[in-house]
Amino acid sequence: MSDELITADEMLTQIDHKPPGKGWMDTPVNIRKGMYCYASNPKSVEYLGLPNARPWNPMEDDWKLPDNWQEIVHNAFKDRLERFRSFKVFMDICVRCGACADKCHFFLGTGDPKNMPVLRAELLRSVYRNDFTKLGKIMGKLNGARPLTIDVLKEWWYYLYQCTECRRCSLFCPYGIDTAEITIMGREIMNLLGLNIDWIATPIANCYRTGNHLGIQPHAFKDMIDFFVEDIEEVTGLALEPSFNQKDADILFITPSGDVFADPGTYSCMGYLMLFHYLKEKYGLKVTWSTYASEGGNFGFFTSHEMMKRLNSKMYAEARRLGVKWILGGECGHMWRVIHQYMDTMNGPADFLEEPVNPITGTKFENACNTKMVHISEFTADLIKHGKLDLDPSRNDHLSVTFHDSCNPSRGMGMLDEPRYVIQNVCKNFHDMPANTIREQTFCCGSGSGLNAGENMEQRMAGGLPRANAVKHVHEKYGVNMLSCVCAVDRAALPALMEYFVPEVEVCGVTELVANALILPGEKERETDLRMEPLPGREEES
């Protein structure tokens, strides 16, 4: 945690939700450190083929824009209004009722009116009215219109990157406006001016280059998995032999590269390996990993539709190359929203793969009939329901667990019950957070959509406040000490949030809990969990 970050108590006292004294158009943008991510590296921008690659600093007056930047924005705005009917509708139908205002975690955590979803979208709507509506051209500010100036553009950049595109606001809009789609369009337009952040541009460039956002090369990816195999052998006494790039495998498994790189995601990765070993030993199921399509996440989602499409296609190209039947996906967030809400219109259905059927239980995953990709939690829940896993839930007795519904699998995919079903079958102590903070109404981690950097820690902690507050509630009421989730960004972001607001609570993936409880054929008597912590009853021996 940055030494410059104010304390949690100080952050809470500075939040002010009272209406401002001046109108929002008359309040200039104040870009300050801790509330934004660094500008994109020009080498990454150039590698991606995006325009206006150059070094620039958001804190400087000159953002080094093209001379005709206003024309570029106008034409891009017009093009997207014509291509995307939803964007045009969302620009027109908002009545500014404010139903979404207090639903955004960034507004709740900062008190900044421009973080209300309605007002964040109004930053774009005001320019839309000025440039594309008769009333806006005639009445100007009286109709909520304003011309696009450099200060307006800077306001776009600052606040569109204070949105995690979690879509909680859309759940409460009486007109069904998806403000995240407006954020996506605004970011896409700004990318035409070279206005991106490095926590997005460089991971995408890495993904083009090596197949994953972290830039891990194929041999290094395998080496990381081999390290996990050694750790698993220490815990279980078994030497696992995972498969890589196997052409006669039944299933291709793809997970976010964060699971292979950083704790606590690494424990989820160990969990995947143990589950696949179990299924191979007991049922002969052949699951393979790819060292080339080694990324389930899709940071292109935060840049443009074209970037999203290109990154999504690599997984299916690898599935075709290997000749697998279907794809199993790990615990990721934005991967699943892209697959379930965009893929069919972007890349088309994956007709060359089989409709996913669990070869062990016979269950047909009808929700994946087009995408041919099944979530690991769906798959595991199905195995548990049919009694195909040998489990010892007492190994997780030292944990009191709650579950964070990651925004994209919950609101974007509709997966609400399966992870809970899995957790309740591998843990005895489970407690949900308050009803208005979970499931469809879940609060965001505050660091999604490419905002999980280190330089914007104040922004992240402010945005994560509502989630942390709900965790604190169940910690104090039920003694919850573990926050589980099914998203790699959450596993990267939530530990810092817990350390800041609820330091007694740790973070894990659901498959880590499964692996702790899973009884592998031929394993030695376990003394520790995957984190090398003593199992309940083994504390004195350690």
Side-chain angles (χ1 to χ4, degrees):
M1 197 71 70
S2 172
D3 294 335
E4 299 179 2
L5 185 63
I6 61 176
T7 68
D9 289 339
E10 290 172 334
M11 179 172 287
L12 293 173
T13 58
Q14 74 178 18
I15 301 172
D16 184 3
H17 292 106
K18 291 184 295 187
K22 293 192 297 184
W24 68 269
M25 284 192 190
D26 300 319
T27 304
V29 62
N30 176 28
I31 299 175
R32 60 185 182 87
K33 290 184 178 181
M35 295 296 290
Y36 70 88
C37 296
Y38 293 147
S40 48
N41 187 319
K43 291 182 179 179
S44 298
V45 175
E46 185 176 9
Y47 188 86
L48 295 172
L50 292 172
N52 200 26
R54 83 286 181 207
W56 64 285
N57 187 338
M59 296 296 290
E60 296 177 355
D61 291 336
D62 184 5
W63 281 19
K64 304 177 182 178
L65 301 173
D67 292 337
N68 64 333
W69 69 267
Q70 289 170 307
E71 179 185 0
I72 292 172
V73 172
H74 178 87
N75 291 338
F77 212 132
K78 180 181 179 182
D79 173 66
R80 281 150 185 80
L81 288 169
E82 293 172 350
R83 287 170 53 205
F84 300 100
R85 184 173 180 272
S86 60
F87 186 42
K88 177 68 166 63
V89 170
F90 293 161
M91 287 291 100
D92 284 329
I93 66 174
C94 177
V95 296
R96 290 170 278 188
C97 68
C100 64
D102 61 345
K103 308 307 186 296
C104 177
H105 46 284
F106 281 118
F107 173 64
L108 293 175
T110 65
D112 188 336
K114 293 178 185 178
N115 272 324
M116 295 179 184
V118 59
L119 190 42
R120 190 185 294 113
E122 201 71 10
L123 303 180
L124 271 72
R125 285 196 186 98
S126 58
V127 175
Y128 163 74
R129 295 190 188 101
N130 184 81
D131 290 7
F132 299 102
T133 70
K134 290 182 180 180
L135 277 178
K137 291 177 180 179
I138 295 171
M139 300 180 65
K141 190 175 180 180
L142 290 175
N143 189 244
R146 61 175 180 168
L148 179 62
T149 65
I150 186 62
D151 288 336
V152 170
L153 182 69
K154 291 181 177 182
E155 196 173 49
W156 280 16
W157 182 86
Y158 190 54
Y159 287 103
L160 293 181
Y161 285 103
Q162 289 186 53
C163 171
T164 49
E165 301 174 5
C166 78
R167 302 173 67 244
R168 190 173 193 264
C169 54
S170 67
L171 194 69
F172 296 91
C173 177
Y175 290 92
I177 296 172
D178 188 345
T179 305
E181 291 286 341
I182 299 174
T183 297
I184 290 169
M185 293 297 180
R187 289 188 181 186
E188 188 167 319
I189 292 171
M190 287 191 296
N191 263 280
L192 300 177
L193 303 177
L195 298 179
N196 204 324
I197 61 175
D198 198 49
W199 201 246
I200 294 177
T202 294
I204 298 175
N206 287 339
C207 204
Y208 278 8
R209 189 178 299 111
T210 68
N212 59 73
H213 293 146
L214 296 173
I216 304 171
Q217 296 184 30
H219 66 280
F221 184 88
K222 183 181 181 301
D223 287 345
M224 291 297 295
I225 300 294
D226 289 340
F227 289 142
F228 300 150
V229 168
E230 293 176 6
D231 289 342
I232 292 170
E233 184 173 9
E234 185 175 346
V235 174
T236 67
L238 299 175
L240 277 57
E241 297 181 356
S243 161
F244 298 96
N245 307 320
Q246 182 179 345
K247 287 202 171 183
D248 62 344
D250 300 304
I251 295 170
L252 169 63
F253 178 70
I254 300 179
T255 196
S257 56
D259 286 347
V260 187
F261 180 76
D263 295 343
T266 52
Y267 304 116
S268 293
C269 194
M270 293 166 66
Y272 306 143
L273 291 165
M274 293 167 67
L275 177 62
F276 301 153
H277 174 81
Y278 178 97
L279 298 177
K280 181 181 178 182
E281 293 296 306
K282 293 270 290 190
Y283 307 107
L285 183 66
K286 293 182 290 186
V287 179
T288 193
W289 301 61
S290 170
T291 59
Y292 301 102
S294 51
E295 179 64 69
N298 193 326
F299 271 49
F301 182 33
F302 314 137
T303 301
S304 71
H305 288 77
E306 181 58 30
M307 290 291 178
M308 188 195 322
K309 177 180 179 179
R310 288 161 71 180
L311 294 191
N312 185 70
S313 65
K314 76 184 186 309
M315 298 187 294
Y316 290 89
E318 184 69 343
R320 185 190 293 272
R321 184 182 77 86
L322 295 177
V324 297
K325 296 177 181 176
W326 48 275
I327 307 174
L328 183 65
E331 295 180 6
C332 184
H334 40 78
M335 169 173 74
W336 289 105
R337 187 178 176 206
V338 170
I339 289 168
H340 279 264
Q341 294 193 334
Y342 293 91
M343 177 181 158
D344 272 356
T345 52
M346 287 194 315
N347 301 95
D351 293 337
F352 62 93
L353 294 173
E354 296 180 11
E355 292 189 11
V357 175
N358 190 330
I360 299 168
T361 66
T363 298
K364 182 177 180 180
F365 296 100
E366 295 182 358
N367 61 307
C369 63
N370 280 356
T371 66
K372 311 298 192 297
M373 194 163 181
V374 176
H375 194 288
I376 187 71
S377 290
E378 296 177 287
F379 183 64
T380 306
D382 181 59
L383 292 170
I384 293 174
K385 181 179 179 180
H386 288 87
K388 300 301 182 181
L389 299 182
D390 297 324
L391 301 168
D392 180 4
S394 69
R395 293 175 179 172
N396 288 314
D397 278 357
H398 57 303
L399 303 177
S400 180
V401 183
T402 192
F403 179 67
H404 164 67
D405 291 274
S406 304
C407 300
N408 287 308
S410 59
R411 277 189 288 268
M413 183 183 178
M415 191 178 70
L416 306 170
D417 295 315
E418 291 88 347
R420 287 178 170 81
Y421 180 81
V422 172
I423 295 170
Q424 290 168 335
N425 277 276
V426 299
C427 300
K428 294 180 181 178
N429 305 310
F430 174 77
H431 304 279
D432 251 330
M433 287 177 274
N436 63 340
T437 71
I438 61 172
R439 300 178 74 86
E440 295 94 335
Q441 296 187 43
T442 184
F443 275 112
C444 180
C445 68
S447 300
S449 189
L451 304 187
N452 188 28
E455 63 270 17
N456 64 330
M457 193 59 75
E458 182 180 344
Q459 178 194 68
R460 288 174 51 192
M461 296 302 102
L465 171 61
R467 170 45 75 224
N469 190 48
V471 175
K472 185 176 182 180
H473 171 78
V474 290
H475 167 67
E476 294 177 346
K477 187 172 182 178
Y478 302 113
V480 163
N481 58 12
M482 184 62 78
L483 174 60
S484 62
C485 59
V486 288
C487 173
V489 168
D490 287 332
R491 282 190 292 279
L494 289 172
L497 185 68
M498 294 300 101
E499 179 188 346
Y500 190 66
F501 284 113
V502 202
E504 303 85 356
V505 177
E506 294 186 273
V507 178
C508 74
V510 170
T511 306
E512 177 187 344
L513 301 174
V514 173
N516 282 338
L518 190 62
I519 303 172
L520 298 176
E523 70 175 19
K524 71 177 185 180
E525 185 175 357
R526 291 200 213 174
E527 298 179 352
T528 70
D529 60 16
L530 293 184
R531 303 189 182 200
M532 304 299 178
E533 297 292 332
L535 291 177
R538 297 280 186 171
E539 295 85 355
E540 294 183 4
E541 299 177 19
S542 63

